[in-house]
Amino acid sequence: MLTDGLPLIDQHCHGVVTEDLDDATVAGWLTEAPALPAHRDPFDSLLGKAVLRWCAPVLDLPPHPGRTAYLRRRAELGWREVTGRLLRAAGVSDWLVDTGFVPDPPLSGPAGSGPGAGHEVVRIEHVAETAVARGAETLDVIAAALRERASGAVALKTIAGYRCGLDLPAAPPPDAEAGAALGRWLRSGQDRLTDPVLLAWLVHEATRLGLPLQVHTGFGDPDLRLRAVDPALLHPFLESTVDSGITVVLLHCWPYHRNAGYLAHVFPHVLVDVGLTVPFTGARFGAVLAEVLELAPFDAVVYSSDGRVLPELHHLAAALWRRHTGRLLDEWIAEDVLSTVDAERLAGAIGSGNAARVYGLRPEDLYPG
């Protein structure tokens, strides 16, 4: 396939665990559900079956070994060996890591456990919450904290979709309104930022820093409301930032990936990825990618895994992306949709070139047009 051996830039992921996990915890990270009924096994899903198909051989097992055999082998090798093998097999040259995701147990960036360079993506809500926890009481202090964190990062990220939805205003709230919202938050004593006015102010503040802004859209855990994270809701915000000089990257997107492809089509500063979608849809990922590419320009689509905690997710996304992207391109070549040269350029662009250009990871433009 055209995608075999193609180096990837994982433009959005999280860290990997640095200790051994029991079987129930491993299985629990294969679902977005916070709790499962006793009869439900996360391995009985397209994601779980994909793990047993594509991760098992990396651990010296045959494909489809079954849940018990896989988890036994995983425990025999230990977390360090499992993590190293799976991350090496992913074939990723650069990991862009959202450092604002801090679960228990603690995580390490993939570059600390395998090959590839690590780059920080700063979660803006985490910056604001940390600043307030350290005594910040004004918008200026929060803005200064955001500037300081951004200075060492390649991108910023917002999870406003989780906190208030994606119906962000085209213009930032006036400072008086944002300041009043900050006062309400401080008086509430809550650690978590959920005020829509203050979140809108924070997102617009992030756009002033010149870095790409990643935006969580589409499915995730039940903390979000799915109808409130349709990227189409961002239309006024995107329209207002089209001349700002920043790039807005729509993350994950399913089941609104066609909407995201449309936004990338009509707004030149919008990119789309389907990161979290790749491992969760498993054998159906090729269909999702084809629907994104119905409208999205080829230079506006990027690869990511959204891998977190389990190195299986980082590896699986890469394996599935190569397999299903390669199959889709082979089909298009056979149907004379595009030439072999065009297919090679498209694979390279989505796999690494577009991200390299947008995040400044290499000087050359790997999708020359």
Side-chain angles (χ1 to χ4, degrees):
M1 288 185 180
L2 296 173
T3 51
D4 290 345
L6 184 70
L8 300 177
I9 292 176
D10 192 337
Q11 70 99 41
H12 179 263
C13 66
H14 306 277
V16 289
V17 71
T18 57
E19 60 186 51
D20 288 315
L21 303 176
D22 61 41
D23 290 356
T25 303
V26 172
W29 282 105
L30 297 179
T31 176
E32 291 289 338
L36 295 174
H39 66 273
R40 182 168 298 162
D41 181 1
F43 279 93
D44 286 334
S45 66
L46 282 178
L47 170 56
K49 297 308 178 187
V51 168
L52 298 177
R53 167 59 185 90
W54 297 103
C55 297
V58 182
L59 306 186
D60 303 323
L61 291 170
H64 311 294
R67 179 190 199 274
T68 300
Y70 182 82
L71 292 173
R72 183 188 304 119
R73 178 59 174 166
R74 199 181 194 283
E76 289 171 355
L77 290 173
W79 73 267
R80 192 181 303 275
E81 180 67 16
V82 169
T83 299
R85 288 192 186 193
L86 290 169
L87 294 182
R88 285 193 296 272
V92 170
S93 67
D94 295 84
W95 310 91
L96 277 61
V97 184
D98 170 6
T99 55
F101 176 64
V102 189
D104 184 25
L107 307 180
S108 170
S113 303
H119 311 274
E120 185 179 23
V121 176
V122 171
R123 185 182 293 198
I124 63 175
E125 291 82 7
H126 185 253
V127 173
E129 289 162 353
T130 301
V132 166
R134 293 174 178 173
E137 296 182 347
T138 66
L139 297 176
D140 287 344
V141 174
I142 295 174
L146 187 58
R147 287 194 301 272
E148 181 180 0
R149 287 294 308 278
S151 65
V154 296
L156 303 173
K157 178 189 175 183
T158 178
I159 55 167
Y162 271 92
R163 304 300 179 81
C164 67
L166 293 178
D167 193 10
L168 296 172
D175 284 351
E177 292 184 17
L182 175 58
R184 290 194 298 271
W185 181 28
L186 294 175
R187 290 191 297 274
S188 74
Q190 296 180 350
D191 297 331
R192 198 165 183 258
L193 172 56
T194 60
D195 187 284
V197 174
L198 191 53
L199 283 164
W201 173 86
L202 186 64
V203 170
H204 277 280
E205 193 68 24
T207 66
R208 299 177 180 178
L209 301 180
L211 292 176
L213 178 65
Q214 299 182 347
V215 183
H216 181 106
T217 75
F219 86 114
D221 64 47
D223 191 29
L224 59 76
R225 299 295 180 266
L226 192 59
R227 66 183 179 182
V229 291
D230 183 341
L233 293 168
L234 290 167
H235 194 114
F237 172 76
L238 296 175
E239 199 167 37
S240 72
T241 56
V242 71
D243 296 321
S244 66
I246 70 162
T247 299
V248 178
V249 187
L250 306 176
L251 302 175
H252 315 323
C253 302
W254 190 96
Y256 306 115
H257 48 284
R258 278 177 155 156
N259 293 1
Y262 159 75
L263 293 172
H265 181 89
V266 297
F267 290 116
H269 67 314
V270 172
L271 267 64
V272 58
D273 94 347
V274 283
L276 181 61
T277 305
V278 184
F280 273 87
T281 56
R284 289 287 297 164
F285 170 64
V288 175
L289 179 62
E291 289 174 348
V292 171
L293 291 172
E294 287 170 351
L295 280 184
F298 293 168
D299 65 351
V301 183
V302 284
Y303 164 77
S304 82
S305 68
D306 195 42
R308 76 272 193 262
V309 181
L310 301 181
E312 280 90 344
L313 300 175
H314 299 75
H315 171 263
L316 182 58
L320 290 172
W321 185 89
R322 287 192 179 89
R323 176 177 176 81
H324 292 287
T325 302
R327 291 175 68 178
L328 178 63
L329 293 178
D330 285 346
E331 177 184 323
W332 283 356
I333 291 170
E335 295 179 354
D336 203 24
V337 173
L338 37 65
S339 69
T340 301
V341 171
D342 285 337
E344 291 172 347
R345 291 172 58 248
L346 175 55
I350 299 176
S352 62
N354 296 336
R357 184 187 70 247
V358 169
Y359 296 105
L361 301 183
R362 290 192 292 273
E364 67 271 22
D365 180 351
L366 299 185
Y367 190 83

